[in-house]
Amino acid sequence: NAGVTQTPKFQVLKTGQSMTLQCAQDMNHNSMYWYRQDPGMGLRLIYYSASEGTTDKGEVPNGYNVSRLNKREFSLRLESAAPSQTSVYFCASSEDPGAARSYNSPLHFGNGTRLTVT
Amino acid sequence: AQSVAQPEDQVNVAEGNPLTVKCTYSVSGNPYLFWYVQYPNRGLQFLLKYITGDNLVKGSYGFEAEFNKSQTSFHLKKPSALVSDSALYFCAGRGYQKVTFGTGTKLQVIP
């Protein structure tokens, strides 16, 4: 099983350029997430999608857009990159808590995209 | 609202000694708590989760976690550290549709 696959692994952008980070999971999970990881700040949620066709803002959504293309894929777009968006980006997925509201399902992470904006 | 805190940026321990990585939480209602490990240039990997009623939870690679409701803590432990355990460890709490992570603790196991 591939699990969660992210592309690209590395990217360098100039300020103002745009790009899309791709994420796909093969575990039939409903919920998908985008996080950014910065030194000393842990992981911060950018956007999440509880199911196909729905997306919601997380802690740090400014400067980003997302698309839940289908159940498998959840992409993150930077329309006009800024140096403050230099970070490592992680996509994750998890089972849907469901009607029982049981939140014991762990997140499954991709290996990340290391983005540098100059 | 929920939050988790990891008070130590780094923990150093000699190989073969027991290790503890600390986590405290603040949640309303039942806590849903997890530990993850991150190796260099990799994503986070699930280690273990709190199961309601179990004060000692066992997970992958010989790790376990001790839940203490009165101290609102969920500390990660291992009886005998290995050099290969050196990594970044994250505590996390899960609520409705969201997961909140601590800032991470770097574990260095010294040969």
Side-chain angles (χ1 to χ4, degrees):
Chain A
N1 273 345
V4 178
T5 303
Q6 290 184 239
T7 55
K9 289 187 171 65
F10 302 95
Q11 184 71 48
V12 179
L13 293 178
K14 295 186 187 304
T15 297
Q17 287 185 319
S18 63
M19 79 161 294
T20 299
L21 281 64
Q22 307 286 355
C23 174
Q25 52 92 9
D26 61 3
M27 294 172 284
N28 202 36
H29 287 163
N30 280 324
S31 299
M32 296 187 74
Y33 311 80
W34 276 106
Y35 286 89
R36 60 178 288 173
Q37 182 179 22
D38 302 290
M41 303 192 74
L43 276 78
R44 292 182 291 169
L45 182 64
I46 305 171
Y47 271 92
Y48 66 97
S49 170
S51 62
E52 183 181 349
T54 68
T55 61
D56 285 284
K57 295 178 180 179
E59 299 172 67
V60 289
N62 291 345
Y64 305 96
N65 285 302
V66 290
S67 296
R68 185 72 184 267
L69 305 170
N70 47 55
K71 191 170 185 178
R72 290 187 64 248
E73 298 172 292
F74 188 39
S75 61
L76 178 72
R77 182 160 179 84
L78 286 70
E79 290 291 352
S80 179
S84 60
Q85 294 178 306
T86 293
S87 187
V88 182
Y89 291 85
F90 288 100
C91 177
S93 70
S94 71
E95 292 179 7
D96 187 346
R101 292 287 187 260
S102 172
Y103 303 112
N104 270 339
S105 303
L107 268 61
H108 298 261
F109 285 84
N111 284 329
T113 295
R114 191 173 296 273
L115 175 67
T116 302
V117 183
T118 61
Chain B
Q2 65 173 26
S3 65
V4 293
Q6 294 180 245
E8 301 157 319
D9 290 337
Q10 182 158 337
V11 170
N12 296 323
V13 63
E15 186 177 22
N17 281 4
L19 69 87
T20 298
V21 182
K22 296 179 181 177
C23 173
T24 59
Y25 66 90
S26 173
V27 299
S28 54
N30 291 328
Y32 294 93
L33 302 167
F34 302 80
W35 276 101
Y36 293 84
V37 60
Q38 185 181 31
Y39 297 102
N41 301 314
R42 300 297 299 273
L44 277 69
Q45 297 176 34
F46 168 69
L47 270 181
L48 53 79
K49 64 183 180 184
Y50 171 61
I51 299 172
T52 303
D54 287 353
N55 288 342
L56 188 65
V57 179
K58 293 193 183 299
S60 306
Y61 312 121
F63 282 93
E64 55 193 26
E66 187 174 30
F67 176 77
N68 187 316
K69 187 174 182 178
S70 63
Q71 296 184 3
T72 61
S73 66
F74 188 56
H75 298 335
L76 182 70
K77 296 176 181 284
K78 187 173 183 182
S80 178
L82 300 173
V83 172
S84 57
D85 292 330
S86 298
L88 191 55
Y89 291 82
F90 289 94
C91 181
R94 183 168 187 176
Y96 179 58
Q97 293 186 342
K98 293 183 182 179
V99 178
T100 303
F101 288 86
T103 51
T105 299
K106 183 178 179 181
L107 174 67
Q108 191 76 37
V109 180
I110 302 160

